[in-house]
Amino acid sequence: MSIRPKRRSAGLAARAPGGDRAGVNALQTLQKTFGFPEFRGVQTQVIDRVLAGQRTLAVMPTGAGKSLTYQLPAVMLEGTCLVVSPLIALMHDQLRAAEAVGIRAATLTSADDNRDETVARFRAGELDLLYVAPERASGEGFRNLLGQARLSLFAIDEAHCVSEWGHDFRPDYRLLRPLLDRFPEVPRLALTATADAHTRDDICEQLGIPQDGMIVAGFDRPNIRYLITPRDNTTRQIEDLLAEQPGPGIVYAQTRAGVEKLAEKLSSNGRKVLPYHAGLDPDVRRRNQAAFVASEDMVIVATVAFGMGIDKPDVRFVAHAGLPKSIEAYYQETGRAGRDGDPAVAQLFWGAEDFAKARQRIGEVERARQPGERTRLTALGALVETAGCRRRILLRHFGDTDGPENCGNCDNCLAPPSAVDASVVAQKFLSAVFRTGMMFGVGYVESILLGQSSERSLMNGHEKLSVFGIADGDEAALIKPVARALLLHDALRANAHGGLEFGPAAKAIMKGEQSLSLVLPPKRERRARRGGPAGAANPIGDPLFEALRARRRELAMEAQVPPYVIFHDSVLRDMASARPASIDALGRISGVGARKLEAYGGAFLQVIREAA
């Protein structure tokens, strides 16, 4: 099957593989269809390979424009680009965005009631993009359908799902290779934002992509501010975050019950907050997701599955109310913030009990998987415990060693913490755990060390112990952080009765063979409401920007699409700054393509003229 330039009546430039002229035409297509003046990062390298008919794995951070690397070739090449994507909701989100710029796209899923029409359009060559799930793509009947029309490209999104080494393995992705090999002349493009070196190699092997076809753009998301804080009244801490961040946000809780409880508590502060988890009635779940996608300031409290199914670019913050499963999962989940490139915040609240529960879960999985799970947990421990740059740890985990030691946009770089040797306090704490019979929790052990008398300590005779009251005034403030660190390092474990008992690392600390260093963050001042580090959509308070946003809201309601599908906030800010006086001038603003200019240009020009 040969790959030929697509003939289009909409004035889009066609591309033949190779040559300077082809590069000019690709740039013209980018400018006319998508409204961007130039390519970003490695987009050019990826698109050049695709248009030359080559097989490629592109590892690009979220927000780097992965979808453009198959959408633009789909516009330029004759035939249909088949996009394999893991979630129906994500496909529908991407479908809206593609149609908004004039791309002929469709989805073929169990949730679509126009499947016959979509199949007919595909056979007739009337689709640039066709989105399907891996379960459908791997079926024999679907393979036969693909033989009835011209294919321009296979795009496998979230390609880390094909690898058992990846953090989100999907067995159906393993079944894609026979489909790809049935059409050997069709180029294949695998895309992911989260794949370490081992996973990248496995993706190439599983999808038949040569090692020299791998393009790794790096993993840095410089617009995201990483903040990691020990839990201390989680609800209040998240309320403070919401007060600082006015835009849309996601709060991840670890259980369905936790989602419900936290959403209810946060709703009492006047902000619209809705829950999302698999246990909700499907209609309620769909309504809540739709409300969040369409909102400009709503908060959704969810289990971690939420977010893969949306492509909402204006999420201003992601908060974790507990420890994620791995650094890969953390990177992917925090990557749902700031996809539009504007400043965003990723806030993690963690507790020592998170690590204790994680170790318990590791003990319950099959033995062959346990070493890998322990390695992942150790990496998370290093991330939350470090006194250095959080971003450096994240990037090095994925093999990205470039960049400065200080990122300037994480909590430790912005306000460097202090480190103290807490080995003596750790020994005292462990001694108190042992002498009280390994039957009590942190609070009770702390009270013994501080010499706080109670009915329980009197009844147990613990006030006669040598450890009663041995913590002096300076040590008192270190007891809780020491207990947290001991649990994190597996020197302590929680038993079935809620008490503390020794873990494998306890002996070395007790004997002085292993020191314990604590990282103490500086005291955090509560910031004023509605003005945190993520910034606001309208940082200078321009009334024209607010008027443009209001018009966008109206147009979005009329078109029944989320506001960001019309234009991103960054585009509206550029409009407010440039104040274009004509359609031509408006069309020169980045992000305003030909289709959107035709559909919405007049409405926004009217707002600008009225503000003059």
Side-chain angles (χ1 to χ4, degrees):
M1 180 182 294
S2 61
I3 300 174
R4 296 182 297 176
K6 181 172 292 183
R7 298 176 180 176
R8 298 176 64 90
S9 59
L12 297 175
R15 166 158 185 164
D20 293 338
R21 177 62 184 165
V24 172
N25 286 340
L27 183 60
Q28 289 174 347
T29 303
L30 176 75
Q31 294 168 344
K32 186 173 183 64
T33 304
F34 300 92
F36 298 125
E38 58 188 4
F39 291 103
R40 290 188 291 144
V42 300
Q43 286 178 331
T44 302
Q45 298 175 49
V46 177
I47 291 170
D48 279 348
R49 286 186 59 87
V50 170
L51 294 175
Q54 297 173 313
R55 300 178 181 183
T56 308
L57 166 61
V59 183
M60 302 167 64
T62 304
K66 288 191 295 294
S67 59
L68 184 78
T69 62
Y70 63 80
Q71 288 179 347
L72 188 142
V75 168
M76 298 183 70
L77 296 174
E78 185 173 333
T80 300
C81 168
L82 183 74
V83 184
V84 179
S85 185
L87 292 174
I88 292 174
L90 177 59
M91 291 185 236
H92 288 165
D93 226 32
Q94 292 172 333
L95 174 65
R96 284 194 296 261
E99 289 180 333
V101 297
I103 298 176
R104 303 175 302 174
T107 59
L108 198 58
T109 75
S110 58
D112 298 322
D113 55 9
N114 63 338
R115 290 190 290 275
D116 290 343
E117 177 189 344
T118 297
V119 168
R121 291 176 67 195
F122 171 68
R123 286 174 172 152
E126 296 174 357
L127 290 176
D128 301 315
L129 292 172
L130 178 61
Y131 291 89
V132 298
E135 295 82 359
R136 182 180 296 272
S138 58
E140 182 63 28
F142 187 73
R143 290 183 212 168
N144 294 334
L145 171 63
L146 294 189
Q148 300 173 28
R150 178 177 291 277
L151 295 174
S152 61
L153 171 66
F154 287 113
I156 300 94
D157 205 4
E158 307 291 348
H160 57 272
C161 294
V162 79
S163 174
E164 289 183 341
W165 292 96
H167 67 283
D168 197 20
F169 174 55
R170 291 276 292 270
D172 286 293
Y173 268 74
R174 289 277 197 181
L175 305 177
L176 292 175
R177 183 68 181 272
L179 170 69
L180 304 178
D181 289 347
R182 186 165 178 171
F183 303 92
E185 295 183 15
V186 177
R188 50 190 84 166
L189 170 63
L191 296 156
T192 181
T194 51
D196 59 16
H198 202 158
T199 303
R200 296 197 291 268
D201 290 342
D202 198 26
I203 292 171
C204 288
E205 181 178 348
Q206 296 299 326
L207 297 179
I209 295 171
Q211 286 288 323
D212 61 5
M214 188 187 306
I215 296 175
V216 181
F219 295 86
D220 193 13
R221 297 286 308 282
N223 63 314
I224 296 180
R225 178 169 296 179
Y226 296 104
L227 310 172
I228 299 180
T229 310
R231 270 203 306 273
D232 177 19
N233 192 331
T234 311
T235 301
R236 178 187 57 77
Q237 288 174 305
I238 295 177
E239 285 174 343
D240 287 348
L241 178 67
L242 266 59
E244 296 162 4
Q245 306 301 331
I250 303 171
V251 178
Y252 287 120
Q254 294 177 303
T255 65
R256 296 177 185 181
V259 166
E260 297 276 2
K261 185 176 180 181
L262 189 54
E264 183 178 358
K265 288 182 177 179
L266 296 177
S267 296
S268 63
N269 291 310
R271 187 86 166 263
K272 186 172 184 181
V273 180
L274 292 176
Y276 183 100
H277 61 73
L280 289 174
D281 178 87
D283 288 337
V284 173
R285 198 166 63 242
R286 280 192 291 270
R287 286 199 301 271
N288 289 0
Q289 175 169 312
F292 176 70
V293 168
S295 77
E296 293 176 315
D297 64 356
M298 193 185 120
V299 176
I300 196 149
V301 184
T303 50
V304 293
F306 180 83
M308 278 194 70
I310 64 168
D311 192 26
K312 184 174 173 62
D314 59 344
V315 174
R316 297 272 62 86
F317 68 90
V318 169
H320 284 82
L323 198 70
K325 290 194 304 182
S326 63
I327 281 189
E328 289 87 353
Y330 174 73
Y331 180 82
Q332 184 182 61
E333 290 152 16
T334 57
R336 292 162 189 165
R339 293 185 178 198
D340 55 5
D342 280 355
V345 162
Q347 172 75 71
L348 168 60
F349 299 106
W350 68 279
E353 63 273 23
D354 294 335
F355 286 89
K357 290 176 182 176
R359 287 192 185 91
Q360 185 177 3
R361 287 195 298 270
I362 290 172
E364 296 169 356
V365 303
E366 58 187 271
R367 187 175 297 274
R369 289 179 51 200
Q370 289 181 5
E373 294 297 325
R374 290 193 189 98
T375 298
R376 289 186 176 94
L377 188 61
T378 299
L380 274 174
L383 177 66
V384 304
E385 251 202 325
T386 185
C389 177
R390 312 276 191 196
R391 194 180 308 273
R392 293 304 301 150
I393 288 184
L394 278 176
L395 297 182
R396 283 173 179 158
H397 181 83
F398 293 105
D400 187 347
T401 58
D402 295 333
E405 291 296 316
N406 186 315
C407 74
N409 199 28
C410 74
D411 51 357
N412 286 350
C413 290
L414 291 165
S418 58
V420 299
D421 186 342
S423 302
V424 172
V425 179
Q427 290 169 337
K428 290 179 179 180
F429 195 94
L430 290 170
S431 181
V433 169
F434 178 77
R435 293 180 185 278
T436 54
M438 298 193 188
M439 297 172 57
F440 302 93
V442 172
Y444 182 77
V445 175
E446 179 183 25
S447 71
I448 295 300
L449 289 170
L450 294 175
Q452 296 172 345
S453 181
S454 67
E455 183 177 341
R456 187 159 59 154
S457 65
L458 285 168
M459 181 179 65
N460 291 326
H462 290 162
E463 295 186 14
K464 298 177 183 178
L465 296 175
S466 60
V467 293
F468 188 78
I470 64 167
D472 62 32
D474 291 336
E475 292 174 334
L478 298 179
I479 292 176
K480 281 189 174 70
V482 160
R484 188 163 51 234
L486 290 171
L487 282 159
L488 186 151
H489 288 285
D490 209 16
L492 284 177
R493 291 177 173 179
N495 59 33
H497 306 291
L500 298 173
E501 59 185 33
F502 283 2
K507 183 178 179 180
I509 295 174
M510 284 285 285
K511 295 177 69 175
E513 297 170 352
Q514 177 68 48
S515 63
L516 184 74
S517 179
L518 282 184
V519 175
L520 301 178
K523 287 189 176 180
R524 180 179 182 272
E525 295 182 4
R526 295 180 70 174
R527 284 179 285 265
R529 185 174 180 85
R530 302 288 191 182
N538 186 9
I540 60 173
D542 188 340
L544 174 55
F545 173 80
E546 296 300 343
L548 292 169
R549 261 188 135 202
R551 188 70 185 102
R552 180 184 65 178
R553 214 171 290 128
E554 295 169 0
L555 292 170
M557 290 182 65
E558 291 172 8
Q560 295 185 320
V561 297
Y564 63 77
V565 170
I566 307 293
F567 289 122
H568 286 189
D569 279 343
S570 59
V571 178
L572 299 189
R573 281 197 297 271
D574 287 346
M575 286 185 193
S577 174
R579 293 178 177 250
S582 67
I583 285 289
D584 286 344
L586 183 63
R588 288 194 289 272
I589 290 177
S590 179
V592 182
R595 176 69 173 269
K596 290 187 177 182
L597 185 66
E598 179 182 355
Y600 309 120
F604 285 99
L605 272 182
Q606 182 181 355
V607 173
I608 294 168
R609 288 167 182 155
E610 290 174 354

